[in-house]
Amino acid sequence: MHNETDLYSCPLPTPLVTGKACGGNTHPDGESCVTLAKIGEDTWAVGDSKRPGAEPLRFTTAELDAAGIDPARFGLSA
């Protein structure tokens, strides 16, 4: 398990395999979606499909749970 201070020391796997959940809101340039990837034991990367080149934010499984984010919605398992 990682703590908050070292989540960004976990390297991102290449390729980064993500699941995607879309909220149904659309913009002129397409639908807004959130990506989620498991990057380590109890470590996740959360990204924005509109900004694929941006560094994803990283969270622990407990933090995802606290935010109500279920990896199953993304087709992933914890």
Side-chain angles (χ1 to χ4, degrees), residues 21-27 30-34 73:
C22 302
N25 55 345
T26 56
H27 299 277
E31 186 172 23
S32 295
C33 302
V34 172
R73 180 167 183 223

Side-chain angles (χ1 to χ4, degrees), residues 33 41 48 50 54 58:
C33 302
E41 184 178 338
D48 178 354
K50 296 276 189 217
R58 298 172 191 206

Side-chain angles (χ1 to χ4, degrees), residues 17-45:
V17 178
T18 62
K20 183 163 63 169
C22 302
N25 55 345
T26 56
H27 299 277
D29 55 346
E31 186 172 23
S32 295
C33 302
V34 172
T35 60
L36 181 68
K38 189 166 188 172
I39 60 171
E41 184 178 338
D42 293 324
T43 309
W44 300 84

Side-chain angles (χ1 to χ4, degrees), residues 47-63:
D48 178 354
S49 67
K50 296 276 189 217
R51 299 177 57 206
E55 179 77 19
L57 301 175
R58 298 172 191 206
F59 299 93
T60 65
T61 300
E63 290 169 329

